[in-house]
Amino acid sequence: MTSIPGTARSTEHLLRTIPALAGCSSRQLRRMAALMDVVTLPTGATLTTEGAYESQAFLLVEGSVAVSHDGDLLAVLGPGEVVGELAVLDRRRRRTASATALTPLTVCVMTPRDLDSLLRGFPRMAALVHGAAAAHQAPLAG
C-alpha cells in the first residue's frame, strides 16, 4: 500500500465524493478524515484474504474490487462502498471473502479503533458501514 501524503483536508475532499456522506458538514468530514488514512493500490492488489484474521476495513474512493468466496465471484464493488467491515466489526471473525483490485484503487483505510469512533460519532458513516455489513452477509448465508 502506498500512503498518500496530505492532510485531513485532502481526505475530506475525497469523502465529499461519497454519495452516502453527501449530507455531512465540512466539519464532520474533516473529523472523519482525521480517523482514516488514504492509500493507493495497484490493479491485482489484495485488500482482504478469505480465512485470514485481518484488522482493516476499506472505503472505496476510486476503482473497483472483485469480492470472492470459495473461488466464486460474489460482487464487484466500486466507489462509495465498504470492504472488509465484517471482520473488523467482529474481531473474532475470520475474513469471509477475498477482495482483489480490478483497477488501480484509492481507498480510505479504517482500523478497528478508528472504525469504532466513526460508527459512534457519525450516523451517516454508521449507516454506510452497517448497510454494507448486512448486504455482504446475505450471499454468505445461503
Side-chain angles (χ1 to χ4, degrees), residues 34-94:
L35 296 170
M36 300 179 199
D37 291 319
V38 177
V39 298
T40 59
L41 299 165
T43 300
T46 301
L47 279 79
T48 66
T49 302
E50 184 176 347
Y53 287 105
E54 298 170 338
S55 61
Q56 295 175 320
F58 306 88
L59 174 59
L60 303 177
V61 179
E62 296 172 342
S64 60
V65 172
V67 179
S68 60
H69 175 71
D70 288 337
D72 296 325
L73 181 67
L74 294 177
V76 174
L77 304 179
E81 297 188 90
V82 178
V83 177
E85 77 292 339
L86 293 175
V88 178
L89 292 170
D90 179 356
R91 293 180 191 108
R92 298 173 312 234
R93 184 179 199 161
R94 293 178 187 263

Side-chain angles (χ1 to χ4, degrees), residues 12-138:
E12 173 193 345
H13 174 73
L14 292 173
L15 292 176
R16 196 172 298 286
T17 68
I18 306 299
L21 303 178
C24 295
S25 69
S26 291
R27 181 174 184 258
Q28 289 173 316
L29 292 172
R30 273 193 306 277
R31 289 177 54 215
M32 280 189 259
L35 296 170
M36 300 179 199
D37 291 319
V38 177
V39 298
T40 59
L41 299 165
T43 300
T46 301
L47 279 79
T48 66
T49 302
E50 184 176 347
Y53 287 105
E54 298 170 338
S55 61
Q56 295 175 320
F58 306 88
L59 174 59
L60 303 177
V61 179
E62 296 172 342
S64 60
V65 172
V67 179
S68 60
H69 175 71
D70 288 337
D72 296 325
L73 181 67
L74 294 177
V76 174
L77 304 179
E81 297 188 90
V82 178
V83 177
E85 77 292 339
L86 293 175
V88 178
L89 292 170
D90 179 356
R91 293 180 191 108
R92 298 173 312 234
R93 184 179 199 161
R94 293 178 187 263
R95 294 285 189 186
T96 55
S98 294
T100 306
L102 294 172
T103 64
L105 297 175
T106 301
V107 299
C108 293
V109 181
M110 300 170 279
T111 65
R113 182 178 178 179
D114 294 337
L115 184 60
D116 286 345
S117 294
L118 288 163
L119 295 176
R120 282 193 316 273
F122 305 97
R124 288 182 190 270
M125 181 62 82
L128 177 64
V129 171
H130 289 300
H136 297 162
Q137 285 181 354

